[in-house]
Amino acid sequence: MDRTGNPLTTVGLNSFGFDSTVNVEDLRALYLRPRHRQMSSQTSTEQDPMPSQLRSTYDSTSNSVSYTTVSKFPPVKLLTPHKKKRILVTGGAGFVGSHLVDRLMLLGHDVIVVDNFFTGSKTTVSHWVGHPNFELIRHDVTEPLNIECDQIYHLACPASPPHYQFDAVKTLKTAFMGTLNLLGLAERTKARFLITSTSEIYGDPQVHPQPEDYWGNVNPIGIRACYDEGKRVSETLTYSYQRQENVEVRVARIFNTFGPRMNPQDGRVVSNFVMQALKGEDMTIYGDGKQTRSFQYIHDLIDGLIALMNSDESRPVNLGNTDEFMVGDFAEMVREVVKEVKEQDGEEIKPLNIVYKPIPSDDPQRRRPDNSRAKEVLGWHPRWTVRMGVEEMARYYKALLEAGEIE
């Protein structure tokens, strides 16, 4: 059931002449294994696993893994040539990018993924490798790229603190040079360009919730500045190309998003809590737990990105969940959901403690989007409850832990 109590059988919107709706179970089959799909959707279907997945077999005695691929792919829509688009997704092997690729592939479009695999992984899109509609290119967007396309989704940039702080200069270079190169490509090919910006451009906000016309409160020399200011200059570049070169641009300001395929070691609050709870470890809160966050599930974000790309809205648009949680309360909810998942699998439940550690520098105290513009111009609003998303994410990580693919 969705947030309003209605059955959630499809995701996507049919708007602006672009139908992005697909069956929920078709998407789940790409990341959840059959047993976990049945429990998560609470249906009695006994579908076979999608034969297109890259299969892995773990041998604990030799601590080795073997991979098997097959040539049958998930069914995709058959589009006429004038409806079929050639779509470039930078960072398409990452968490958000791979889900966007899944959706665009199922919709029947030609999809080109460009990724340098710094934080992304080939395994997130391996089930499409070899499909006639799919191309995968290893490339760093800080270097020029020549390719033909109709739309560009520019997602390439490390997005979690441990990753973007690992090499702050490279993060800034990716934000500026990568965006410059892709905007140049958009200008040459006349492609529509969408950049995934971030709620981090608002910094530690003094306005709550944050509307798109709020300019933010950012520390330009702090440890998070490489990402915060990098995304701000990316937006500046984008609108400069719109004004000077007449490039069609779209800017999505993404708030905290979670879901399957998040790197379990990326240091974000949702993945940290879920992994710690699944492994029976103490759950770590940085600060007193009273700082607030809003969390949206990945499928809602993909709905919003596709709707924005195909709309006529060129102003920045917030995409996030307006449900606000204190981090301490969220930890309690994750602990409860993981307990239910383990009980359904007949596992022994161990009590989990919540421990508190010092809060990192420049960590914002409150973060919640004002989604008025997205509702008004896109007809978009989140449909997945946070609890539903946490349950799916717990099942996803649990299957990987059982298979020895993560630890």
Side-chain angles (χ1 to χ4, degrees), residues 362-376:
D362 295 332
D363 195 56
Q365 287 300 303
R366 302 188 74 184
R367 187 66 65 71
R368 179 163 67 94
D370 180 337
N371 280 344
S372 302
R373 181 173 294 172
K375 292 178 182 178
E376 178 184 346

Side-chain angles (χ1 to χ4, degrees), residues 293-323:
R293 295 292 184 273
S294 58
F295 304 100
Q296 72 176 331
Y297 195 52
I298 183 63
H299 295 323
D300 283 327
L301 172 61
I302 301 304
D303 290 351
L305 291 176
I306 295 176
L308 177 59
M309 171 64 91
N310 294 284
S311 74
D312 295 324
E313 182 57 64
S314 62
R315 296 173 298 174
V317 175
N318 288 338
L319 296 175
N321 191 339
T322 55
D323 293 342

Side-chain angles (χ1 to χ4, degrees), residues 139-194:
H139 181 82
D140 193 314
V141 294
T142 60
E143 301 295 333
L145 176 69
N146 287 317
I147 207 164
E148 303 302 318
C149 54
D150 303 308
Q151 293 182 344
I152 299 171
Y153 288 88
H154 180 37
L155 282 66
C157 189
S160 68
H163 292 147
Y164 65 66
Q165 292 171 13
F166 175 77
D167 188 341
V169 173
K170 181 60 183 289
T171 298
L172 280 163
K173 189 176 179 181
T174 300
F176 185 84
M177 292 302 300
T179 303
L180 183 68
N181 287 332
L182 271 297
L183 282 164
L185 177 64
E187 179 190 2
R188 182 181 68 79
T189 60
K190 308 301 181 188
R192 182 173 290 182
F193 176 88
L194 182 148

